[in-house]
Amino acid sequence: MEPISIGIIGGSGLYAMEALTDRSEIQLTTPFGDPSDAVIVGNLAGQRVAFLPRHGRGHRFTPSEVPYRANIHALKQLEVRFILGVSAVGSLREELVPGHLVIPDQAIDRTKGVRPATFFGEGVVAHVAFGEPVCPHLSALVSKAAHAASNTTVHDGGTYCCMEGPQFSTKAESELYRSWGCSIIGMTLLPEAKLAREAEIAYANLSLVTDYDCWHPDHDNVTAAMVVETINRNVAAAQNTIAALIPLIDPAAVYPAHSALAHAVMTAPESIPA
Ligand code: ADE
């Protein structure tokens, strides 16, 4: 099969793109189990693109249950070199209004250690650099696409606080994350971005703001219904951004993320099992 360079991991409410033509479904399996769903492959803006709904069709996996390793492994099997992860997030800043898009450039990990978060271990030790948790080069293209095509306000940069969930935050937690300088809060950027880095895939995130979490005195506390309703009203902004992004990606581009393991593996080569 021809390699597919670009993968999209769709968040809540973004199960597939209507604009995707000549679709086929590929059922893959991996040493880490099955991915969230069949990978949908199709043509978008002149390129073959692989699309994977993060929570499975019908939204079957909680953020803690998403098989992140299988998802990244499955896209790697297709030879994907660029992934855009799309997420629904709460806002921790007045100026990040529900309906806006954010392209975060930093992250804080507030997951609780229950999600397998590395491909390494069991005899192979590797520590990838993660100072830049998303690929700045791919993020710049996402920004260009979002500004050109989304018809909403786009914020470049910001810190994504990734919490475990599935419950939303308490007010005290929400204020804590605000005091840490976080911009948005969601449940899925990590370990997805870490695993993509370990797989030497350039990864960027496009976050759709759906609510003000629970810190804002003038807005109701977030509910799942509020998140779904805002996604449904604004899903076109994400879809238009994705469609505009594809032609901006040079499938042959080489970014630092593509050699993330060059200085990361500590295990002596002779001790790595064949
Ligand atoms: N996803 C969407 N809104 C959220 C919020 N307020 N907290 C965590 N995850 C979210």
Side-chain angles (χ1 to χ4, degrees), residues 87-130:
S87 312
V89 295
S91 168
L92 298 172
R93 302 274 145 213
E94 184 82 48
E95 67 276 16
L96 307 181
V97 178
H100 288 186
L101 293 173
V102 181
I103 300 153
D105 60 355
Q106 275 302 328
I108 289 184
D109 194 348
R110 285 279 301 167
T111 64
K112 300 277 170 65
V114 295
R115 310 174 181 192
T118 179
F119 289 113
F120 295 104
E122 297 182 7
V124 184
V125 179
H127 303 280
V128 290
F130 205 55

Side-chain angles (χ1 to χ4, degrees), residues 134-198:
V134 292
C135 169
H137 307 280
L138 186 58
S139 295
L141 301 181
V142 178
S143 164
K144 201 171 168 188
H147 283 282
S150 73
N151 272 327
T152 187
T153 304
V154 179
H155 301 268
D156 295 310
T159 299
Y160 182 126
C161 177
C162 188
M163 63 178 292
E164 184 64 48
Q167 303 84 1
F168 292 114
S169 306
T170 64
K171 276 194 180 138
E173 288 164 338
S174 201
E175 287 296 359
L176 178 69
Y177 305 146
R178 278 166 48 73
S179 78
W180 287 351
C182 297
S183 319
I184 50 179
I185 182 157
M187 301 182 190
T188 54
L189 180 74
L190 302 173
E192 196 167 274
K194 292 182 179 181
L195 294 164
R197 181 65 51 81
E198 287 189 347

Side-chain angles (χ1 to χ4, degrees), residues 88-91 163 168-169 185-187 208 210-214 222 227:
V89 295
S91 168
M163 63 178 292
F168 292 114
S169 306
I185 182 157
M187 301 182 190
L208 171 63
T210 54
D211 55 84
Y212 270 115
D213 199 37
C214 60
V222 57
V227 170

